[in-house]
Amino acid sequence: MLKSFFVKSIICVISVSALSCQNTGQSPLPKKSMDYVALANTRMGTDSEYSLSNGNTYPATAVPWGMNFWTPMTSKMGDGWTYKYDENKIRGIKQTHQPSPWLNDYAAFSFMAVTGELKIQEDERASWFSHKAETALPHHYSVYLADYDATMEVVPTERAAHFQFTFPESENAYVLLDGFNQGSMVEIIPEERKIIGYVRNNHGGVPENFHNYFVAEFDKDFEVNHTWTDGWQLMENSMVSEGDHVGAVVGFKTKTGEKVRVKVASSFISPEQAQLNLDREIGTDGFETTKAKAHAAWKKEFDRIKVEVKNMENVKTFYSCLYRLLLFPRKFYEINADNEIVHYSPYNGEVLPGYMFTDNGFWDTFRAVFPFFTLMYPTLDAQIMDGLANTYKESGWLPEWASPGHRGVMVGSNSAVNIADAYIKGIRNFDAETLYEAVMKNATVDEGRPVSSVGREGVNYYNKLGYVPYDVGINENAARTLEYAFADFNISEMAKIMGKSEDAEKFAEKAMNYKLLFDPETKWMRGKNEDGTFQSPFNPLKWGDAFTEGNSLHYTWSVFQDVNGLIKLMGGQEAFAKKLDEVFTMPPKFDNSYYGFTIHEIREMQIVNMGNYAHGNQPIQHMIYLYNHAGQPWKAQQHVREVLKKLYAPTPDGYCGDEDNGQTSAWYVFSSLGFYPVTPGTPQYVIGSPLFDKAILTMENGEQFVIETKDNDEENVYIQSVKINDKPYNKTWLSHHDIQAGGRLVFDMSPEPNKQWGTSKEAVPFSISLRK
């Protein structure tokens, strides 16, 4: 009897598209549509700190690509790690624009509820809380403030939000608005139940006239009006305060369970635009209506990719990653009174027409985030491209790391990759001529670059020698060279389509510059001096120095455009595969002498027991898929599944390093579906090992691409055969245009590798040197 019960229980499979279970002698339960939004854990990756990143995320309550996010603060004002999962006090919920703790925040201000004795100082007002009394969803955040017997909730729109404070019976119930430091102003207008003002806090990348103007409308009359000024000095019964760090306090008498609601919006343009954003995006809507609209915004996007699998933890991980993938870059434009798209320029301080997006580092996101947009969101991608054109017009340069304006971090010329990838894949409704002019300037001009990350550091050396030398005072030179060469490949491909044949030929030659750094003795990429000699001494395990947040074992594979050429340099497919194997089989040894301490990226590689494979940082994330080029696709299948299973989980420690604007999430989203964009700038995706029993991708054109697996489970990670639209398929790559046209892709899986599938010369993915 007990055995029979367990057998019946086992066959009750939870699937994403329908939750149903049929017991013997009973009618099946009605199918129920899954709420994918409820599966996304916004706290995935929040158990992080400076010395060890499990994501370095915060629980952003937002709508996809929203201008403003909202997040609880467990840490002090100005701490880039604003929410640490293992902390136990809440200081407020802030409007945030932070793309990364390393870049920190800008234009932030917060709300906090207090009862009883008035406390405004951030340490004193902080309340104990528990994750057991916390809701953290993409569209709704709620937390119980134990010290005040009150609950704070927030639901978002693109440029506004709706707060709801649930108070106990109290003669002294307060809502605090903290304007933060670096310049802020508040004004209380009791007769309108409003607080208005501005904040100016930032960590760079803004013009002198930068302001974030806000308006907050309450649904209850104020009985107390105070402000504070610098040094947390309370100014009782005052209506206005302006200084380095000011705030406002409004107070009420409340009954048990009474709710005070606040509608708040902001604008980088003007106070009037902030009010317009509020009226347009919330207006007369109640809290529950705003919440429902935010839920619908996420549901619309999540429904574009529906997955089914027996293991619900994988489903939760998928939608938690998809949530992160759809947050950045954020919209930095607004809709004016004439319904025109306008933006405050973080480059010249003017209000100008057209799109603007920000908070993105292309060194991370060119790899998979932007290819995801070209596949699933071509209209959005075109808008982002027009935003890049506006950045060029307003600053004279393309952005590489914007937050909100140019920031001097990371390396590469990866804006060119994003632009070319969109154009090459057929996206046309953007200003391609202006952007082509911009990428050509990046590739040729050194003078006038506003920060080191913009344009190409060392471009004159690169154009003269074919590489950035190791010994001329330009750090991370080998990484720059490899990334410039890949950008040159993309420029060449774009130029070819645009009919610029001379440029196409010139940059196709420059795309082969990677060969200049290949050391035939060690078979690794190596820094090269100006006189043509290789750097010496050379330790391929040395992080930094010639490379960026990685070592030669990670960057040697950054020949996205010509893996076959790299294979030839290494001595053929077998030697190449052994070199790939070596990264996984060697101990996690490292040389940290360039930094003088063990940076968190090194530690994250060391502790996961995968050799020198450092999935927690971006340079190596495509490497696994290169086994397909080497005629050993079964090894790609094995390692992809290992990473999916071992290094991701829908938990606070669910990443294995910095999440970085959706890139590490994009790897999971693509890889779990069964393919990955190894080479942006080509219309190909390289096949790995699909995780789900079924996935339905609805393209922007309405077509559906269905991915199914047979005999799929945790052991059956190897591909036995593949069919597309019922026809056998033996290539190890998929066509971008075939996916967008819709169809059916079926994988037959097995616990043993099929070493015949995908191993022919015709099966390998794109390489320049394989072109006929």
Side-chain angles (χ1 to χ4, degrees):
M1 191 67 187
L2 187 61
K3 179 180 178 181
S4 175
F5 170 79
F6 279 119
V7 170
K8 291 177 184 177
S9 299
I10 289 170
I11 66 171
C12 297
V13 177
I14 299 175
S15 97
V16 176
S17 62
L19 293 177
S20 61
C21 180
Q22 185 172 0
N23 292 317
T24 306
Q26 295 180 347
S27 299
L29 295 171
K31 289 186 177 181
K32 182 180 178 183
S33 177
M34 174 62 73
D35 180 8
Y36 302 102
V37 182
L39 300 178
N41 182 3
T42 66
R43 293 170 297 194
M44 180 175 171
T46 59
D47 185 11
S48 300
E49 57 188 40
Y50 177 89
S51 60
L52 184 69
S53 172
N54 289 309
N56 267 342
T57 63
Y58 56 86
T61 307
V63 295
W65 309 289
M67 189 174 86
N68 305 322
F69 301 168
W70 297 85
T71 187
M73 299 173 61
T74 65
S75 301
K76 290 186 176 184
M77 174 182 63
D79 189 336
W81 287 261
T82 189
Y83 179 97
K84 303 185 188 75
Y85 188 81
D86 62 354
E87 293 184 334
N88 46 39
K89 286 190 175 183
I90 291 282
R91 300 165 187 270
I93 296 175
K94 74 170 178 175
Q95 184 185 104
T96 179
H97 307 91
Q98 178 171 299
S100 161
W102 309 105
L103 274 289
N104 215 300
D105 210 349
Y106 65 90
F109 61 96
S110 70
F111 289 90
M112 180 64 179
V114 172
T115 60
E117 179 188 354
L118 177 59
K119 301 173 183 177
I120 61 172
Q121 203 276 342
E122 62 174 340
D123 291 328
E124 296 172 356
R125 75 187 185 217
S127 172
W128 282 84
F129 82 106
S130 168
H131 298 301
K132 300 177 182 65
E134 182 186 38
T135 299
L137 294 168
H139 69 294
H140 179 215
Y141 180 80
S142 175
V143 63
Y144 175 67
L145 305 176
D147 289 342
Y148 305 121
D149 190 25
T151 298
M152 288 196 300
E153 300 176 76
V154 63
V155 292
T157 72
E158 286 188 343
R159 301 167 188 84
H162 217 143
F163 276 80
Q164 180 168 270
F165 301 91
T166 304
F167 287 108
E169 182 174 358
S170 178
E171 293 290 310
N172 301 294
Y174 305 101
V175 173
L176 282 57
L177 192 160
D178 191 332
F180 291 17
N181 61 3
Q182 294 189 305
S184 47
M185 187 276 283
V186 294
E187 179 180 356
I188 302 171
I189 310 175
E191 61 274 18
E192 298 182 29
R193 297 174 170 173
K194 279 185 183 179
I195 304 175
I196 63 173
Y198 64 74
V199 297
R200 304 195 65 203
N201 54 86
N202 66 84
H203 288 81
V206 300
E208 282 298 315
N209 66 346
F210 174 76
H211 289 74
N212 184 25
Y213 302 96
F214 62 80
V215 55
E217 296 182 351
F218 292 70
D219 68 350
K220 186 177 175 65
D221 290 335
F222 308 155
E223 298 203 14
V224 173
N225 309 286
H226 303 317
T227 67
W228 73 78
T229 188
D230 298 342
W232 301 102
Q233 182 180 346
L234 185 66
M235 301 169 66
E236 294 187 359
N237 303 315
S238 67
M239 302 296 181
V240 180
S241 186
E242 186 172 14
D244 177 68
H245 177 196
V246 304
V249 180
V250 292
F252 318 92
K253 292 183 174 63
T254 55
K255 299 176 182 178
T256 302
E258 184 172 352
K259 300 180 187 303
V260 175
R261 300 175 183 89
V262 186
K263 301 173 183 178
V264 58
S266 63
S267 169
F268 295 105
I269 294 173
S270 68
E272 294 78 16
Q273 182 66 45
Q275 184 68 57
L276 182 59
N277 291 343
L278 183 60
D279 295 341
R280 179 183 281 123
E281 297 191 8
I282 298 181
T284 60
D285 288 349
F287 180 85
E288 292 301 325
T289 299
T290 307
K291 179 180 176 182
K293 287 182 176 180
H295 180 275
W298 282 106
K299 184 177 187 300
K300 176 186 175 185
E301 308 309 339
F302 283 9
D303 283 353
R304 293 276 308 277
I305 304 180
K306 298 181 179 182
V307 299
E308 300 178 10
V309 73
K310 301 175 185 69
N311 185 337
M312 280 297 292
E313 292 304 295
N314 291 339
V315 180
K316 292 176 182 177
T317 305
F318 180 86
Y319 287 103
S320 299
C321 286
L322 184 57
Y323 148 80
R324 289 279 166 201
L325 177 51
L326 301 182
L327 286 174
F328 296 101
R330 77 172 70 253
K331 297 174 180 177
F332 203 75
Y333 65 86
E334 304 175 53
I335 314 298
N336 70 14
D338 295 324
N339 289 317
E340 298 167 329
I341 294 170
V342 296
H343 64 273
Y344 166 83
S345 173
Y347 302 99
N348 63 22
E350 299 178 21
V351 177
L352 297 166
Y355 290 105
M356 180 63 64
F357 291 79
T358 192
D359 291 319
N360 219 249
F362 295 158
W363 183 84
D364 303 292
T365 56
F366 85 85
R367 305 165 194 273
V369 173
F370 277 87
F372 183 81
F373 294 161
T374 63
L375 179 65
M376 299 300 296
Y377 293 96
T379 298
L380 170 74
D381 200 50
Q383 293 171 358
I384 296 171
M385 294 303 111
D386 271 335
L388 296 184
N390 286 331
T391 296
Y392 175 66
K393 293 172 186 176
E394 293 159 26
S395 74
W397 296 90
L398 287 168
E400 296 296 338
W401 233 122
S403 180
H406 294 307
R407 302 288 292 274
V409 291
M410 307 312 292
V411 305
S413 188
N414 300 307
S415 54
V417 180
N418 294 340
I419 293 162
D421 188 48
Y423 196 82
I424 290 160
K425 289 174 179 172
I427 300 173
R428 290 291 183 272
N429 48 331
F430 63 90
D431 189 354
E433 287 293 342
T434 294
L435 289 175
Y436 186 80
E437 175 188 316
V439 299
M440 292 299 289
K441 179 177 179 180
N442 266 19
T444 56
V445 177
D446 187 45
E447 297 76 19
R449 295 181 302 110
V451 291
S452 63
S453 66
V454 167
R456 297 186 179 188
E457 183 88 344
V459 67
N460 292 335
Y461 287 110
Y462 177 80
N463 288 338
K464 177 183 177 183
L465 302 172
Y467 61 93
V468 181
Y470 178 80
D471 59 346
V472 295
I474 300 175
N475 61 358
E476 303 166 26
N477 37 81
R480 296 179 194 275
T481 298
L482 294 170
E483 293 191 23
Y484 296 167
F486 182 52
D488 287 340
F489 161 75
N490 274 266
I491 293 171
S492 173
E493 296 296 291
M494 184 176 180
K496 187 185 305 180
I497 297 173
M498 296 178 78
K500 304 176 189 294
S501 55
E502 186 176 334
D503 285 347
E505 184 176 343
K506 173 183 176 182
F507 281 92
E509 292 178 4
K510 289 161 70 69
M512 309 304 282
N513 284 340
Y514 73 89
K515 294 182 178 181
L516 299 175
L517 296 190
F518 184 78
D519 175 15
E521 180 181 349
T522 65
K523 300 293 194 294
W524 296 114
M525 292 295 175
R526 184 171 176 179
K528 181 173 277 191
N529 296 318
E530 188 176 6
D531 64 4
T533 60
F534 282 111
Q535 68 170 102
S536 183
F538 171 62
N539 179 0
L541 298 180
K542 186 176 183 179
W543 281 63
D545 198 17
F547 301 99
T548 302
E549 296 181 1
N551 60 33
S552 184
L553 272 67
H554 307 142
Y555 257 96
T556 292
W557 318 107
S558 292
V559 187
F560 312 91
Q561 69 274 26
D562 193 25
V563 179
N564 183 67
L566 183 60
I567 287 172
K568 289 181 178 179
L569 290 175
M570 288 189 175
Q573 287 186 328
E574 190 65 33
F576 181 84
K578 287 182 178 179
K579 210 71 169 171
L580 290 169
D581 292 342
E582 185 179 343
V583 175
F584 289 103
T585 58
M586 70 180 302
K589 294 180 179 179
F590 58 85
D591 176 350
N592 66 4
S593 60
Y594 176 75
Y595 301 106
F597 68 103
T598 303
I599 62 173
H600 75 93
E601 289 90 350
I602 295 175
R603 191 70 72 203
E604 289 140 18
M605 177 200 76
Q606 180 193 30
I607 64 178
V608 297
N609 192 26
M610 293 186 74
N612 241 264
Y613 180 71
H615 189 82
N617 210 21
Q618 284 69 33
I620 205 170
Q621 287 181 352
H622 69 293
M623 181 200 112
I624 289 172
Y625 287 91
L626 303 189
Y627 281 108
N628 289 286
H629 293 264
Q632 298 184 16
W634 63 90
K635 289 185 180 178
Q637 296 155 28
Q638 173 207 335
H639 287 301
V640 164
R641 278 295 192 95
E642 182 183 13
V643 172
L644 286 168
K645 179 180 178 181
K646 185 175 183 178
L647 302 186
Y648 291 82
T651 57
D653 64 345
Y655 294 103
C656 56
D658 282 355
E659 199 286 316
D660 281 333
N661 298 151
Q663 169 55 31
T664 302
S665 293
W667 190 95
Y668 187 96
V669 169
F670 268 120
S671 296
S672 65
L673 294 173
F675 54 93
Y676 186 79
V678 169
T679 309
T682 66
Q684 288 189 6
Y685 304 89
V686 181
I687 291 174
S689 177
L691 183 63
F692 299 110
D693 298 335
K694 186 176 183 179
I696 303 173
L697 282 64
T698 301
M699 300 294 119
E700 193 171 88
N701 60 13
E703 298 293 339
Q704 288 191 332
F705 189 72
V706 180
I707 304 166
E708 296 181 25
T709 58
K710 296 180 179 179
D711 299 321
N712 189 34
D713 59 31
E714 291 191 2
E715 286 71 39
N716 294 8
V717 304
Y718 297 105
I719 295 172
Q720 284 299 298
S721 64
V722 180
K723 288 185 177 181
I724 293 183
N725 297 330
D726 298 321
K727 295 180 180 179
Y729 189 79
N730 293 307
K731 296 177 180 177
T732 60
W733 56 271
L734 302 172
S735 161
H736 172 86
H737 301 295
D738 287 349
I739 294 173
Q740 287 201 323
R744 185 166 174 260
L745 173 66
V746 179
F747 294 93
D748 190 0
M749 307 301 291
S750 169
E752 298 296 331
N754 176 1
K755 296 186 179 181
Q756 305 306 311
W757 180 84
T759 58
S760 69
K761 291 182 179 179
E762 296 74 25
V764 300
F766 172 87
S767 284
I768 293 175
S769 57
L770 288 177
R771 276 182 165 158
K772 295 181 180 178

